Coordinates of all heavy atoms in Angstrom, one line a residue:
E1 N -2.9 -14.8 23.4 CA -4.3 -14.5 23.0 C -5.2 -14.8 24.2 O -5.2 -15.9 24.8 CB -4.7 -15.3 21.8 CG -3.9 -15.2 20.6 CD -4.2 -13.9 19.8 OE1 -5.3 -13.4 20.0 OE2 -3.3 -13.5 19.1
E2 N -6.0 -13.8 24.6 CA -6.9 -14.1 25.8 C -8.1 -14.8 25.4 O -8.7 -15.6 26.2 CB -7.2 -12.7 26.4 CG -6.0 -12.0 27.1 CD -6.4 -10.8 27.7 OE1 -7.6 -10.6 28.0 OE2 -5.5 -9.9 28.0
H3 N -8.7 -14.5 24.2 CA -9.9 -15.1 23.7 C -9.8 -15.7 22.3 O -10.3 -15.1 21.3 CB -11.0 -14.1 23.8 CG -11.2 -13.4 25.1 ND1 -11.9 -14.0 26.1 CD2 -10.8 -12.2 25.5 CE1 -11.9 -13.2 27.2 NE2 -11.2 -12.1 26.8
P4 N -9.1 -16.8 22.2 CA -8.9 -17.4 20.8 C -10.1 -17.8 20.1 O -10.2 -17.6 18.9 CB -8.0 -18.6 21.1 CG -8.2 -18.9 22.5 CD -8.6 -17.7 23.2
N5 N -11.1 -18.3 20.8 CA -12.4 -18.7 20.1 C -13.1 -17.5 19.5 O -13.6 -17.5 18.4 CB -13.3 -19.4 21.0 CG -12.7 -20.8 21.4 OD1 -11.9 -21.3 20.6 ND2 -13.1 -21.3 22.5
E6 N -13.2 -16.4 20.3 CA -13.8 -15.2 19.8 C -13.1 -14.6 18.6 O -13.6 -14.1 17.6 CB -14.0 -14.2 20.9 CG -15.0 -14.5 22.0 CD -14.5 -15.5 23.0 OE1 -13.3 -15.8 23.0 OE2 -15.2 -15.9 23.9
A7 N -11.7 -14.6 18.7 CA -10.9 -14.0 17.6 C -11.1 -14.8 16.4 O -11.2 -14.2 15.3 CB -9.4 -14.0 18.1
K8 N -11.2 -16.1 16.5 CA -11.4 -17.0 15.3 C -12.7 -16.7 14.7 O -12.8 -16.6 13.5 CB -11.2 -18.4 15.7 CG -11.3 -19.4 14.6 CD -11.1 -20.8 15.0 CE -11.1 -21.8 13.9 NZ -10.9 -23.2 14.3
T9 N -13.7 -16.5 15.5 CA -15.1 -16.2 15.0 C -15.1 -14.9 14.2 O -15.7 -14.8 13.2 CB -16.1 -16.2 16.1 OG1 -16.1 -17.5 16.8 CG2 -17.5 -15.9 15.6
I10 N -14.4 -13.9 14.8 CA -14.4 -12.6 14.2 C -13.7 -12.6 12.8 O -14.1 -12.1 11.8 CB -13.7 -11.5 15.1 CG1 -14.7 -11.3 16.3 CG2 -13.4 -10.2 14.4 CD1 -14.0 -10.5 17.4
V11 N -12.5 -13.3 12.8 CA -11.8 -13.5 11.5 C -12.6 -14.2 10.5 O -12.6 -13.8 9.3 CB -10.4 -14.2 11.8 CG1 -9.7 -14.5 10.5 CG2 -9.5 -13.3 12.6
Q12 N -13.3 -15.2 10.9 CA -14.1 -15.9 9.9 C -15.2 -15.0 9.3 O -15.5 -15.1 8.1 CB -14.8 -17.2 10.6 CG -13.8 -18.3 10.8 CD -14.4 -19.4 11.6 OE1 -15.4 -19.3 12.2 NE2 -13.7 -20.6 11.5
K13 N -15.8 -14.2 10.2 CA -16.9 -13.3 9.7 C -16.3 -12.2 8.8 O -16.9 -11.8 7.8 CB -17.6 -12.6 10.9 CG -18.5 -13.5 11.7 CD -19.2 -12.8 12.8 CE -20.1 -13.7 13.5 NZ -21.0 -13.1 14.5
V14 N -15.1 -11.7 9.1 CA -14.4 -10.8 8.2 C -14.1 -11.4 6.8 O -14.4 -10.7 5.8 CB -13.1 -10.2 8.8 CG1 -12.3 -9.5 7.9 CG2 -13.4 -9.4 10.1
I15 N -13.7 -12.6 6.8 CA -13.4 -13.3 5.5 C -14.7 -13.5 4.7 O -14.7 -13.3 3.5 CB -12.6 -14.6 5.8 CG1 -11.2 -14.3 6.3 CG2 -12.6 -15.5 4.5 CD1 -10.5 -15.5 6.8
L16 N -15.7 -13.9 5.4 CA -17.0 -14.1 4.8 C -17.5 -12.8 4.2 O -18.0 -12.8 3.0 CB -18.0 -14.7 5.8 CG -19.4 -15.1 5.2 CD1 -19.3 -16.1 4.1 CD2 -20.3 -15.5 6.3
A17 N -17.4 -11.7 4.9 CA -17.9 -10.4 4.4 C -17.1 -10.0 3.2 O -17.7 -9.5 2.2 CB -17.8 -9.4 5.5
A18 N -15.8 -10.2 3.2 CA -15.0 -9.9 2.1 C -15.3 -10.7 0.8 O -15.4 -10.1 -0.3 CB -13.5 -10.1 2.4
K19 N -15.6 -11.9 1.0 CA -16.0 -12.8 -0.1 C -17.4 -12.3 -0.7 O -17.6 -12.3 -1.9 CB -16.1 -14.3 0.3 CG -14.7 -14.9 0.5 CD -14.8 -16.3 0.9 CE -13.4 -16.9 1.1 NZ -13.5 -18.4 1.5
A20 N -18.3 -11.9 0.2 CA -19.6 -11.5 -0.2 C -19.5 -10.2 -1.0 O -20.1 -10.0 -2.0 CB -20.5 -11.3 1.0
R21 N -18.6 -9.2 -0.5 CA -18.4 -8.0 -1.3 C -17.8 -8.3 -2.7 O -18.2 -7.7 -3.6 CB -17.4 -7.1 -0.5 CG -18.1 -6.4 0.7 CD -17.2 -5.2 1.2 NE -15.8 -5.7 1.5 CZ -15.4 -6.2 2.7 NH1 -16.3 -6.3 3.7 NH2 -14.2 -6.5 2.9
Q22 N -16.9 -9.2 -2.7 CA -16.3 -9.5 -4.0 C -17.3 -10.1 -5.0 O -17.4 -9.8 -6.2 CB -15.1 -10.5 -3.8 CG -14.3 -10.7 -5.1 CD -13.1 -11.6 -4.8 OE1 -13.1 -12.3 -3.8 NE2 -12.1 -11.6 -5.7
A23 N -18.1 -11.0 -4.5 CA -19.2 -11.6 -5.3 C -20.2 -10.6 -5.8 O -20.6 -10.6 -6.9 CB -19.9 -12.8 -4.5
A24 N -20.5 -9.7 -4.9 CA -21.5 -8.6 -5.3 C -20.9 -7.7 -6.3 O -21.6 -7.3 -7.3 CB -21.9 -7.8 -4.0
R25 N -19.6 -7.4 -6.2 CA -19.0 -6.5 -7.2 C -19.0 -7.2 -8.6 O -19.3 -6.7 -9.6 CB -17.6 -6.2 -6.8 CG -16.9 -5.3 -7.7 CD -15.5 -4.9 -7.3 NE -15.3 -4.7 -5.9 CZ -14.5 -5.5 -5.1 NH1 -13.7 -6.4 -5.7 NH2 -14.4 -5.3 -3.8
K26 N -18.7 -8.5 -8.6 CA -18.6 -9.3 -9.8 C -20.0 -9.4 -10.4 O -20.2 -9.3 -11.7 CB -18.1 -10.7 -9.5 CG -17.8 -11.5 -10.7 CD -17.2 -12.9 -10.3 CE -15.9 -13.1 -11.0 NZ -15.4 -14.5 -10.7
A27 N -21.0 -9.6 -9.6 CA -22.4 -9.7 -10.1 C -22.8 -8.3 -10.7 O -23.5 -8.3 -11.8 CB -23.4 -10.0 -9.0
R28 N -22.5 -7.2 -10.1 CA -22.8 -5.9 -10.6 C -22.2 -5.7 -12.0 O -22.8 -5.2 -12.9 CB -22.4 -4.8 -9.7 CG -23.4 -4.4 -8.6 CD -23.0 -3.1 -7.9 NE -21.6 -3.0 -7.5 CZ -21.2 -3.5 -6.3 NH1 -22.0 -4.0 -5.4 NH2 -19.9 -3.3 -6.0
E29 N -20.9 -6.1 -12.1 CA -20.2 -5.9 -13.4 C -20.8 -6.7 -14.5 O -20.9 -6.3 -15.6 CB -18.7 -6.3 -13.2 CG -17.9 -5.3 -12.4 CD -16.5 -5.8 -12.1 OE1 -16.2 -6.9 -12.5 OE2 -15.8 -5.0 -11.5
M30 N -21.3 -7.9 -14.1 CA -21.9 -8.8 -15.1 C -23.2 -8.2 -15.6 O -23.6 -8.3 -16.8 CB -22.1 -10.2 -14.6 CG -20.8 -11.0 -14.4 SD -19.8 -11.2 -15.9 CE -20.9 -12.2 -16.8
V31 N -24.0 -7.7 -14.7 CA -25.3 -7.1 -15.0 C -25.1 -5.9 -15.9 O -25.8 -5.7 -16.9 CB -26.1 -6.7 -13.7 CG1 -27.3 -5.9 -14.0 CG2 -26.6 -8.0 -13.0
Q32 N -24.1 -5.0 -15.6 CA -23.9 -3.8 -16.4 C -23.5 -4.3 -17.8 O -23.9 -3.7 -18.8 CB -22.8 -3.0 -15.7 CG -23.2 -2.3 -14.5 CD -22.1 -1.6 -13.7 OE1 -20.9 -1.8 -14.1 NE2 -22.4 -0.9 -12.7
R33 N -22.6 -5.3 -17.9 CA -22.2 -5.7 -19.2 C -23.3 -6.3 -20.0 O -23.4 -6.1 -21.2 CB -21.0 -6.7 -19.0 CG -20.4 -7.1 -20.3 CD -19.6 -6.0 -20.9 NE -19.0 -6.4 -22.1 CZ -18.3 -5.6 -22.9 NH1 -18.1 -4.4 -22.6 NH2 -17.8 -6.0 -24.0
K34 N -24.2 -7.1 -19.4 CA -25.3 -7.7 -20.1 C -26.3 -6.6 -20.5 O -26.9 -6.8 -21.6 CB -26.0 -8.7 -19.1 CG -25.3 -10.0 -19.0 CD -26.0 -10.9 -18.1 CE -25.3 -12.2 -17.8 NZ -25.9 -13.1 -16.9
N35 N -26.5 -5.5 -19.8 CA -27.4 -4.5 -20.2 C -27.0 -3.9 -21.5 O -27.8 -3.6 -22.4 CB -27.5 -3.4 -19.1 CG -28.3 -3.9 -17.9 OD1 -29.0 -4.8 -18.0 ND2 -28.2 -3.2 -16.8
V36 N -25.7 -3.7 -21.7 CA -25.1 -3.1 -23.0 C -25.4 -4.1 -24.1 O -25.8 -3.7 -25.2 CB -23.6 -2.8 -22.8 CG1 -23.0 -2.5 -24.2 CG2 -23.4 -1.7 -21.8
M37 N -25.2 -5.4 -23.9 CA -25.3 -6.4 -24.9 C -26.7 -6.9 -25.2 O -27.0 -7.6 -26.2 CB -24.4 -7.6 -24.6 CG -22.9 -7.2 -24.5 SD -22.3 -6.4 -26.0 CE -22.3 -7.8 -27.1
S38 N -27.7 -6.6 -24.3 CA -29.0 -7.2 -24.4 C -29.9 -6.3 -25.4 O -29.5 -5.3 -25.8 CB -29.7 -7.3 -23.1 OG -29.9 -6.0 -22.6
G39 N -31.0 -6.8 -25.7 CA -31.9 -6.1 -26.5 C -31.6 -6.3 -28.0 O -31.0 -7.3 -28.4
S40 N -31.8 -5.3 -28.8 CA -31.6 -5.4 -30.2 C -30.1 -5.0 -30.6 O -29.8 -4.9 -31.7 CB -32.5 -4.4 -30.9 OG -32.3 -3.1 -30.5
G41 N -29.3 -4.8 -29.6 CA -27.9 -4.5 -29.9 C -27.7 -3.0 -29.9 O -28.6 -2.2 -29.6
L42 N -26.5 -2.6 -30.4 CA -26.2 -1.2 -30.5 C -26.7 -0.6 -31.8 O -26.8 -1.4 -32.8 CB -24.7 -1.0 -30.4 CG -24.1 -1.5 -29.0 CD1 -22.6 -1.4 -29.1 CD2 -24.6 -0.6 -27.9
P43 N -27.0 0.6 -31.9 CA -27.4 1.3 -33.1 C -26.3 1.2 -34.1 O -25.1 1.0 -33.8 CB -27.7 2.7 -32.7 CG -27.9 2.7 -31.3 CD -27.1 1.6 -30.7
G44 N -26.6 1.4 -35.4 CA -25.7 1.3 -36.5 C -24.4 2.1 -36.3 O -23.3 1.7 -36.8
K45 N -24.5 3.3 -35.7 CA -23.4 4.2 -35.6 C -22.4 3.8 -34.4 O -21.3 4.3 -34.3 CB -23.8 5.6 -35.4 CG -24.5 6.2 -36.6 CD -24.8 7.7 -36.4 CE -25.4 8.2 -37.6 NZ -25.7 9.7 -37.5
L46 N -22.9 2.9 -33.6 CA -22.1 2.5 -32.4 C -21.6 1.0 -32.6 O -22.3 0.2 -33.2 CB -22.9 2.6 -31.1 CG -23.4 3.9 -30.8 CD1 -24.3 3.9 -29.5 CD2 -22.3 4.9 -30.6
A47 N -20.4 0.7 -32.1 CA -19.9 -0.6 -32.1 C -19.2 -0.9 -30.8 O -18.5 -0.1 -30.2 CB -18.9 -0.7 -33.3
D48 N -19.5 -2.1 -30.3 CA -18.9 -2.6 -29.0 C -17.6 -3.3 -29.3 O -17.3 -3.7 -30.4 CB -19.9 -3.5 -28.3 CG -19.6 -3.6 -26.8 OD1 -18.7 -2.9 -26.3 OD2 -20.2 -4.4 -26.1
C49 N -16.8 -3.4 -28.2 CA -15.5 -4.2 -28.4 C -15.7 -5.6 -27.9 O -16.7 -5.9 -27.3 CB -14.4 -3.5 -27.6 SG -14.7 -3.3 -25.9
S50 N -14.8 -6.5 -28.2 CA -14.9 -7.9 -27.9 C -14.5 -8.2 -26.5 O -15.0 -9.1 -25.9 CB -14.0 -8.7 -28.8 OG -14.4 -8.5 -30.1
S51 N -13.6 -7.4 -25.9 CA -13.1 -7.7 -24.6 C -14.2 -7.4 -23.5 O -15.0 -6.5 -23.6 CB -11.9 -6.8 -24.3 OG -11.5 -6.9 -22.9
K52 N -14.2 -8.3 -22.5 CA -15.1 -8.1 -21.4 C -14.4 -7.4 -20.2 O -15.1 -7.2 -19.2 CB -15.6 -9.5 -21.0 CG -16.3 -10.2 -22.1 CD -17.6 -10.9 -21.7 CE -18.3 -11.6 -22.7 NZ -18.7 -10.9 -23.8
D53 N -13.1 -7.2 -20.3 CA -12.4 -6.5 -19.2 C -12.5 -5.0 -19.3 O -11.9 -4.4 -20.2 CB -10.9 -7.0 -19.2 CG -10.1 -6.4 -18.0 OD1 -10.7 -5.8 -17.1 OD2 -8.9 -6.5 -18.1
P54 N -13.2 -4.3 -18.4 CA -13.3 -2.9 -18.5 C -12.0 -2.1 -18.4 O -11.8 -1.0 -19.0 CB -14.2 -2.5 -17.4 CG -14.8 -3.7 -16.8 CD -13.9 -4.8 -17.3
A55 N -11.0 -2.7 -17.8 CA -9.7 -2.1 -17.6 C -8.9 -1.9 -18.9 O -8.1 -1.0 -19.1 CB -8.9 -2.8 -16.6
E56 N -9.2 -2.8 -19.9 CA -8.5 -2.7 -21.2 C -9.3 -2.1 -22.3 O -8.8 -1.9 -23.4 CB -7.9 -4.1 -21.5 CG -8.9 -5.1 -22.0 CD -8.3 -6.4 -22.4 OE1 -7.2 -6.7 -22.1 OE2 -9.0 -7.2 -23.0
C57 N -10.5 -1.8 -22.1 CA -11.4 -1.3 -23.1 C -11.2 0.2 -23.3 O -10.9 0.9 -22.3 CB -12.9 -1.6 -22.8 SG -13.3 -3.3 -22.8
E58 N -11.3 0.7 -24.5 CA -11.2 2.1 -24.8 C -12.5 2.5 -25.6 O -13.1 1.8 -26.3 CB -10.0 2.4 -25.7 CG -8.7 2.1 -25.1 CD -7.6 2.4 -26.1 OE1 -7.8 2.7 -27.3 OE2 -6.4 2.2 -25.7
I59 N -12.9 3.8 -25.4 CA -14.0 4.4 -26.2 C -13.3 5.2 -27.3 O -12.4 5.9 -27.1 CB -14.9 5.2 -25.3 CG1 -16.3 4.8 -25.6 CG2 -14.7 6.6 -25.4 CD1 -17.3 5.4 -24.7
Y60 N -13.8 5.0 -28.5 CA -13.2 5.6 -29.7 C -14.2 6.6 -30.3 O -15.2 6.1 -30.8 CB -12.8 4.5 -30.6 CG -11.8 4.8 -31.7 CD1 -10.4 5.0 -31.3 CD2 -12.1 5.0 -33.0 CE1 -9.5 5.2 -32.2 CE2 -11.1 5.3 -33.9 CZ -9.8 5.4 -33.6 OH -8.9 5.7 -34.5
L61 N -14.0 7.9 -30.1 CA -15.0 8.9 -30.6 C -14.5 9.6 -31.8 O -13.3 10.0 -31.8 CB -15.3 9.9 -29.5 CG -15.9 9.4 -28.2 CD1 -16.0 10.5 -27.1 CD2 -17.2 8.8 -28.4
V62 N -15.4 9.8 -32.8 CA -15.1 10.6 -33.9 C -16.2 11.6 -34.2 O -17.3 11.3 -33.7 CB -14.8 9.8 -35.2 CG1 -13.6 8.9 -35.0 CG2 -16.0 8.9 -35.5
E63 N -15.9 12.7 -34.8 CA -17.0 13.7 -35.1 C -17.4 13.6 -36.5 O -16.6 13.6 -37.4 CB -16.4 15.0 -34.8 CG -17.5 16.1 -34.9 CD -16.9 17.5 -34.5 OE1 -15.8 17.6 -34.1 OE2 -17.7 18.5 -34.7
G64 N -18.7 13.5 -36.8 CA -19.2 13.5 -38.1 C -19.4 12.2 -38.7 O -18.7 11.2 -38.4
D65 N -20.4 12.1 -39.6 CA -20.8 10.8 -40.2 C -19.7 10.3 -41.1 O -19.4 9.1 -41.2 CB -22.1 10.9 -41.0 CG -23.3 11.1 -40.0 OD1 -23.2 10.6 -38.8 OD2 -24.3 11.6 -40.5
S66 N -19.0 11.2 -41.8 CA -18.0 10.8 -42.8 C -16.8 10.1 -42.1 O -16.2 9.2 -42.7 CB -17.6 11.9 -43.7 OG -17.0 12.9 -42.9
A67 N -16.5 10.6 -40.9 CA -15.3 10.0 -40.2 C -15.7 8.7 -39.5 O -14.9 7.8 -39.3 CB -14.8 11.0 -39.2
G68 N -17.0 8.5 -39.3 CA -17.4 7.3 -38.5 C -17.2 6.0 -39.2 O -16.7 5.0 -38.6
G69 N -17.4 5.9 -40.6 CA -17.1 4.7 -41.3 C -15.7 4.2 -41.3 O -15.4 3.1 -41.0
T70 N -14.8 5.1 -41.6 CA -13.4 4.7 -41.6 C -12.9 4.5 -40.2 O -12.0 3.6 -40.0 CB -12.5 5.8 -42.2 OG1 -12.8 7.1 -41.6 CG2 -12.8 5.9 -43.7
A71 N -13.4 5.2 -39.2 CA -13.0 4.9 -37.8 C -13.4 3.5 -37.3 O -12.7 2.8 -36.7 CB -13.6 6.0 -36.9
K72 N -14.7 3.1 -37.7 CA -15.1 1.8 -37.4 C -14.3 0.7 -38.0 O -14.0 -0.3 -37.5 CB -16.6 1.6 -37.8 CG -17.6 2.1 -36.7 CD -19.0 1.9 -37.1 CE -19.5 0.6 -37.0 NZ -21.0 0.5 -37.3
Q73 N -13.9 0.9 -39.3 CA -13.0 0.0 -40.0 C -11.6 -0.1 -39.4 O -11.0 -1.1 -39.4 CB -13.0 0.3 -41.5 CG -14.4 0.1 -42.1 CD -14.4 0.6 -43.5 OE1 -13.4 1.2 -44.0 NE2 -15.5 0.4 -44.2
G74 N -11.1 1.1 -39.0 CA -9.7 1.2 -38.6 C -9.5 0.9 -37.1 O -8.3 0.8 -36.7
R75 N -10.5 0.7 -36.3 CA -10.3 0.4 -34.9 C -9.9 -1.0 -34.6 O -10.2 -1.9 -35.5 CB -11.6 0.8 -34.1 CG -12.7 -0.2 -34.4 CD -14.0 0.2 -33.7 NE -15.0 -0.8 -34.1 CZ -15.4 -1.8 -33.3 NH1 -14.8 -2.0 -32.2 NH2 -16.3 -2.6 -33.7
D76 N -9.3 -1.3 -33.5 CA -9.1 -2.6 -33.0 C -10.3 -3.1 -32.2 O -10.5 -2.7 -31.1 CB -7.8 -2.7 -32.2 CG -7.4 -4.1 -31.8 OD1 -8.2 -5.0 -31.9 OD2 -6.3 -4.3 -31.3
R77 N -11.1 -4.0 -32.8 CA -12.3 -4.3 -32.2 C -12.2 -5.2 -31.0 O -13.1 -5.4 -30.2 CB -13.2 -5.1 -33.2 CG -12.7 -6.4 -33.7 CD -13.6 -7.0 -34.8 NE -14.9 -7.1 -34.3 CZ -16.0 -6.9 -35.1 NH1 -15.8 -6.7 -36.4 NH2 -17.2 -7.0 -34.6
N78 N -11.0 -5.6 -30.7 CA -10.8 -6.3 -29.4 C -10.9 -5.5 -28.2 O -11.5 -5.9 -27.2 CB -9.4 -7.0 -29.4 CG -9.2 -8.1 -30.4 OD1 -10.2 -8.8 -30.6 ND2 -8.1 -8.2 -31.1
F79 N -10.5 -4.2 -28.3 CA -10.5 -3.3 -27.1 C -11.0 -1.9 -27.4 O -11.2 -1.2 -26.4 CB -9.2 -3.3 -26.4 CG -8.1 -2.7 -27.2 CD1 -7.8 -1.3 -27.1 CD2 -7.3 -3.4 -28.0 CE1 -6.8 -0.7 -27.8 CE2 -6.3 -2.9 -28.8 CZ -6.0 -1.5 -28.7
Q80 N -11.3 -1.6 -28.6 CA -11.8 -0.2 -28.9 C -13.3 -0.3 -29.3 O -13.7 -1.0 -30.2 CB -11.0 0.4 -30.0 CG -9.6 0.7 -29.6 CD -8.8 1.3 -30.8 OE1 -9.0 1.0 -31.9 NE2 -7.8 2.1 -30.4
A81 N -14.1 0.5 -28.5 CA -15.5 0.5 -28.8 C -15.9 1.8 -29.5 O -15.2 2.8 -29.3 CB -16.3 0.4 -27.5

């Protein structure tokens, strides 16, 4: 290594930038999740799931009011919204 001090400084800056990107991504996800849950909640025809992990959540769509009631009762509320 010709310039170990400069290399060390660059690596530290890269690590710091990566941590900042990860923190920003986590903050964005939390804000998006809070927006859904804030206010008066979801309208009567919509139901949210319990899981906070977007990777395991599913959206469950049905057509018509008569199918909506049984679909809400039959869904797995842990991951189906």
Side-chain angles (χ1 to χ4, degrees):
E1 303 284 335
E2 291 183 21
H3 304 282
N5 290 336
E6 289 83 1
K8 186 176 182 179
T9 303
I10 290 171
V11 169
Q12 287 174 344
K13 287 184 179 186
V14 168
I15 292 171
L16 182 63
K19 287 180 181 180
R21 283 193 307 271
Q22 187 177 20
R25 184 179 322 120
K26 191 180 233 184
R28 274 194 310 272
E29 289 172 357
M30 291 301 293
V31 168
Q32 289 171 352
R33 187 69 182 174
K34 284 181 184 176
N35 285 343
V36 171
M37 299 302 291
S38 66
S40 62
L42 296 172
K45 292 185 180 183
L46 300 177
D48 199 6
C49 58
S50 303
S51 175
K52 303 223 182 296
D53 182 12
E56 70 178 17
C57 295
E58 296 178 356
I59 226 172
Y60 202 73
L61 298 175
V62 294
E63 184 177 356
D65 290 338
S66 60
T70 52
K72 273 177 79 171
Q73 293 170 356
R75 71 186 176 94
D76 184 346
R77 65 183 309 144
N78 291 322
F79 64 90
Q80 291 177 332

